Structure formats: C-alpha cells, structure tokens
Amino acid sequence: MELRQLRYFVAVAEELHFGRAAERVYISGPALSQQIIALERDLGAQLFRRDRRSVQLTEAGRSLLEDARQILALVDGARQRVRQRAAEAIPLRLGYVSWLPDNVIACVGPTVALRIDDWVLPSHVQADRTAGGSLDLALAWISAHSAHMHGLSAHLLRAEPLQAVCPGVSSTEPVSAADITVLIDSDDWAWSSWHQFATEFAIQVGASIAKIDDGGVTGDAFYAHVRDINAPVLASPKHHTAVTPPTLGHRPVAGPIPLWTWSLLHRANDDRASVRHAVEALVTLARDNRWTVPPPGSCWTPADDPHRDALVSGDSPPVAVESPADQR
C-alpha cells in the first residue's frame, strides 16, 4: 500500500466520481482506476461498488477512509515540520540602504543566523526584493501605501531627524524649515523615496526646491551645491562618505523637524519563527536605544508614512496636500 494510492483512494471516496477524482489528483482516469484496483488487490478487499451511473463506498472502503485521512494528515504534518525546520536553518538575508545598527548580527544571534546582503540599493528596490523573496528582511524607508501593495509589515526602528548643511560653522542654533532648500535629482529611479519625502516636505513647509542632474543629493557634489546655493540645504539620510568642507557646517532644522523613518520590513505572511525572533530582537534594540523616540518639538513626516501617528505631535503643520504616488 503506497501513500499515493491512499491519496487517490481519498479523492475517489470524497468525489464518488472517477473523472472528477482524476482531475483533482492530476492523473488520467484509466491510471486512477488501475491504482484503485491495485490497492484493492493489496488489501484483499473491494473498496468501491461502481457501475456506469454511480460509485459507492463499501463497508471496507468506509473503514479505510478514516484511517487514510489520518495517515495522510500525519504525513503532511511531518513534511511541513521538516520543511519549516530546514527553512529555519537557512540564514536570514537582511538588506539595507545606508543605516545599519553596528551590532545587528550579535543582537539577532546566536538563535538565528543573519547574513547582511551585499547589495546596498535604494529603499524601493529593497522593498521589492523583500516582497519577491530575495531578501527576508530589509531596513528601508517606505510609505504605508507601498507596504500594503507589497504585502509587507513595517516596524519602526529609527526616527532620524534630518539636519541642514549651511555656509559657515556647525551650530546648535536651528534653521527654520521654511528657509531650507531641498535637492531633487533628475535620476528619479535612484532617488525615488527621497524625492517623495523631500517634495512633500518642501510643499508643506514652504521650502525651496532646487533641480539637479549630477546625483548631488550626497557626496562632494552635494557640498558643491550648498556652496552654489549659499543657503541651508536639507541633508538626505544617505550617509555622506565625503568629508564636510571646513567652510560648511551642520545645523538642526526646526518648525517642524523633518523625520526620516527607517522601517524593518518583512513579508506579512512570513510566519517563520526565525523571522519573528529577528523582528522582536531588533525592535527591542531600537526601543532600548530610544531610536524610535522623536526629538522634542514639532516634527514632520510625510502624510503616508506608516509611523506618522506615533511620531508627529498635534502641533505639527496640518497636511496640506496628498502624499505623492509611490515611484517604483
């Protein structure tokens, strides 16, 4: 008696029709009939009474049906558990854009193996990769709409206040948000998330927008734009590898403070224990380090930020425009 014969038997017993049962188990009608005959021969009992108009279970067939269902349930359960354990043994792949906690691997391990993905790509690409399965987790910026469309859960790990880079020396004296300039690059694919964030910020607070075409949202080209504009320019959350020139300084932004949110993304239907453990460990790390606590004062996030309600105080500027559509 083979497991496949039991599956064929259960299909015929539940359908009471060889044609429908054959379609259900993806074999031909004659092949199904031969497998049932072989099973009856092995058991030494007739399982069905069949004629041209009907198929009925015999007493032996009714007796076997309950046992067959239990056997198949046990086999299916064992297969699922083995696959689950095998999946848990595979390291989780974590992608990121520019911010990554220094002790992320130690925080998640040794219970769960974590591998940092080598491809440092824009937020919308990391969201696509997580949804598609080439990443298990990602640290990225995402809108609530995009998270929903991708089938992703987004857990806040960091609310990063963005600063301005200005002519002169660094200072703790804040720059008014309305006096800021934001840079929008012609490469909309590479800077999709930044464009969504910066454009909405400029519209709502009355900041200026400067169009560029050299990728100067970061790096030496960014500092060149600050010198050319000769006014405070909002620094993106993309880490600047270039050293800040001595003629430029950093200052906080106020009225309101722009908050860039880093979300820990994973597929909403991924119920693996390793993923749950990693999420719990990183959320705890963020809470213990107070990364998710907004600074005092009026803060701003885009209208479609998934963490907006938890971060933006009631005295923040009202939402004046709809959030721009996700650019993916």
Side-chain angles (χ1 to χ4, degrees), residues 162-167 169 171-181 201 231-234 249-258:
L162 300 187
Q163 293 191 323
V165 176
C166 318
V169 297
S171 169
T172 58
E173 182 67 23
V175 177
S176 172
D179 295 333
I180 292 291
T181 296
F201 175 74
V233 178
L234 189 64
H250 295 263
R251 291 174 62 183
V253 180
I257 303 166

Side-chain angles (χ1 to χ4, degrees), residues 44-314:
Q46 184 179 357
L47 302 175
F48 298 100
R49 295 190 187 92
R50 43 196 182 270
D51 55 34
R52 291 184 177 179
R53 292 180 295 179
S54 66
V55 177
Q56 299 294 327
L57 279 165
T58 64
E59 285 297 326
R62 280 190 287 271
S63 175
L64 178 62
L65 180 58
E66 181 177 353
D67 291 337
R69 284 171 171 162
Q70 291 180 6
I71 292 169
L72 293 175
L74 287 171
V75 170
D76 291 341
R79 179 182 291 112
Q80 183 176 357
R81 286 188 294 274
V82 169
R83 288 176 176 172
Q84 180 80 7
R85 287 166 185 156
E88 297 289 354
I90 299 173
L92 297 181
R93 297 153 298 179
L94 172 66
Y96 71 104
V97 180
S98 61
W99 176 72
L100 189 68
D102 292 335
N103 55 344
V104 61
I105 294 179
C107 170
V108 173
T111 304
V112 173
L114 188 68
R115 179 172 66 82
I116 307 302
D117 190 77
D118 294 331
W119 290 9
V120 179
L121 296 168
S123 285
H124 66 286
V125 179
Q126 301 296 42
D128 287 341
R129 296 179 67 207
T130 305
S134 60
L135 290 176
D136 301 294
L137 302 161
L139 280 169
W141 184 91
I142 198 168
S143 68
H145 173 73
S146 183
H148 174 74
M149 295 302 294
H150 281 79
L152 298 174
S153 293
H155 307 267
L156 179 63
L157 284 200
R158 185 184 180 191
E160 180 180 354
L162 300 187
Q163 293 191 323
V165 176
C166 318
V169 297
S170 296
S171 169
T172 58
E173 182 67 23
V175 177
S176 172
D179 295 333
I180 292 291
T181 296
V182 299
L183 302 182
I184 302 297
D185 193 77
S186 58
D187 186 353
D188 192 55
W189 180 88
W191 299 102
S192 171
S193 298
W194 171 251
H195 287 176
Q196 181 174 340
F197 180 97
T199 301
E200 188 174 342
F201 175 74
I203 292 173
Q204 290 196 17
V205 305
S208 301
I209 295 177
K211 303 282 188 177
I212 60 174
D213 59 6
D214 57 359
V217 177
T218 186
D220 286 325
F222 171 80
Y223 297 123
H225 287 301
V226 177
R227 287 193 293 267
D228 290 342
I229 295 170
N230 197 33
V233 178
L234 189 64
S236 79
K238 184 79 172 177
H239 286 183
H240 292 253
T241 55
V243 177
T244 305
T247 56
L248 302 178
H250 295 263
R251 291 174 62 183
V253 180
I257 303 166
L259 290 182
W260 179 274
T261 57
W262 292 109
S263 292
L264 177 63
L265 307 177
H266 65 89
R267 292 179 294 282
N269 62 357
D270 192 341
D271 60 354
R272 287 177 293 169
S274 57
V275 172
R276 292 196 301 273
H277 173 84
V279 170
E280 291 170 1
L282 291 174
V283 168
T284 299
L285 178 68
R287 183 181 65 244
D288 291 347
N289 284 278
R290 298 181 62 80
W291 292 334
T292 61
V293 178
S298 175
C299 296
W300 180 92
T301 63
D304 198 30
D305 190 295
H307 314 295
R308 178 181 173 84
D309 290 345
L311 294 172
V312 176
S313 58

